[in-house]
Amino acid sequence: MAKEDNTTVNTPTPQGWKATKEQIDQWKKDNPRGVRKFTIRCGDGIFEAYMRTPGMDDMMRGQASERKKAFTFSKSIWENCKLGFHPDIEKDDSMLLGLFLQIDETIEIADVTVEKI
């Protein structure tokens, strides 16, 4: 298991990469706002990725990057919040783009009502 910047990348087995229960439990303990699991089906494989729920700082970094290039918001959120993933995900554009399209689902937003007074 290689560890870099608090991200876990396990060496894949023939059946694929799987986070251990211990890893998931530690991620949950370290990230009380929550941990999200992505399941990506590509070709004949099923790939997993985990990230923590983004906070306001992550959102601000993502928003700042979005002004420069398209898709950089999702990439910024992924880079700042990823916890563990199958290494092939970041090598395959279709899997990475599919993951980026789901990043919005990880953002927790309160129900807010606005009224003119």
Side-chain angles (χ1 to χ4, degrees), residues 9-26:
V9 181
N10 291 350
T11 305
T13 66
Q15 295 79 29
W17 177 92
K18 287 277 195 195
T20 65
K21 181 182 180 336
E22 292 79 18
Q23 286 172 318
I24 294 169
D25 290 343
Q26 186 64 49

Side-chain angles (χ1 to χ4, degrees), residues 33-100:
R33 289 186 48 131
V35 173
R36 304 301 178 104
K37 176 183 176 183
F38 293 84
T39 302
I40 303 167
R41 289 167 179 75
C42 186
D44 292 334
I46 297 176
F47 303 85
E48 292 181 358
Y50 294 81
M51 65 177 271
R52 63 181 171 78
T53 300
M56 185 58 76
D57 288 343
D58 302 309
M59 300 294 292
M60 290 175 12
R61 278 192 296 271
Q63 191 62 37
S65 67
E66 183 71 10
R67 292 186 194 119
K68 298 174 187 168
K69 286 182 166 179
F71 253 126
T72 54
F73 175 81
S74 294
K75 183 176 181 184
S76 175
I77 297 296
W78 169 246
E79 290 295 327
N80 286 295
C81 299
K82 64 186 176 183
L83 296 171
F85 58 95
H86 190 291
D88 289 351
I89 291 171
E90 289 191 332
K91 297 175 188 170
D92 185 293
D93 288 346
S94 67
M95 286 196 281
L96 201 53
L97 290 171
L99 189 144
F100 286 172

Side-chain angles (χ1 to χ4, degrees), residues 112-117:
V112 178
T113 303
V114 178
E115 63 182 275
K116 185 177 180 178
I117 54 172

